[in-house]
Amino acid sequence: MLRVNALPGVPRWAALAAYAVPLVTLPSGLWRIALVAGLPVAGEPVRTGWGVVYVLSLTVVSEALALLTLGLVQRWGEVVPRWIPLLGGRTVRPLAAAIPALLGAVALFGLCGWVGYLQSSNLAAGSITDSAAQEALLVACYAPLLAWAPLLAVAAIAYYRRRTTVLPVQAREPACT
């Protein structure tokens, strides 16, 4: 059985969702790196200096944001690591992690819809790819990104519920008199 590294009390489904997020962003990042490297993944590779910087920056930023999802199931999502100046060792308030994560999920839902709408016309016209194989590779690399928003949302909701749920107080036994 697949073993995931998560805090005690984290539901297995939430841990799997959090660990899946960096994996679903990886194929598109690899496709962009191949595009910059000049591999035949698209009609024309990105060759200009600023285009290369933009594409590689997009890859690094998206993977870094995806890796932040792991904080929703690991210790550093509850207590800021000591090596971080000024904040190290402080407890992370549940809303300080849950709100940005949920806002990110909402933004990703919107971005997927908007980009999907815009790119559907470009793919139909063949302006990104030159062949059916390139188009299939593009779709195979970018389709997993559709799972990013729902995976992030469920991991954030599980984090918030786990950190804010008040456990029932056990009934005290009467003291012996």
Side-chain angles (χ1 to χ4, degrees), residues 65 69 97-112 148-150 152-153 156:
L65 290 172
T69 307
I99 287 177
L102 289 171
L103 288 175
V106 168
L108 286 168
F109 274 119
L111 190 62
C112 283
W148 188 358
L152 177 57

Side-chain angles (χ1 to χ4, degrees), residues 34-138:
L35 180 68
V36 168
L39 297 175
V41 295
E44 291 186 30
V46 175
R47 301 230 187 251
T48 63
W50 286 111
V52 169
V53 169
Y54 169 73
V55 169
L56 291 179
S57 297
L58 178 62
T59 301
V60 169
V61 168
S62 64
E63 197 62 37
L65 290 172
L67 286 169
L68 279 177
T69 307
L70 297 177
L72 299 173
V73 297
Q74 293 186 353
R75 175 100 174 116
W76 56 270
E78 294 185 4
V79 177
V80 179
R82 293 229 176 256
W83 58 267
I84 296 181
L86 303 174
L87 298 175
R90 292 188 183 186
T91 300
V92 176
R93 293 186 178 174
L95 287 177
I99 287 177
L102 289 171
L103 288 175
V106 168
L108 286 168
F109 274 119
L111 190 62
C112 283
W114 181 62
V115 170
Y117 172 74
L118 292 176
Q119 291 301 323
S120 63
S121 61
N122 287 341
L123 281 176
S127 62
I128 296 174
T129 59
D130 287 338
S131 69
Q134 287 177 341
E135 185 175 333
L137 179 64
L138 177 69

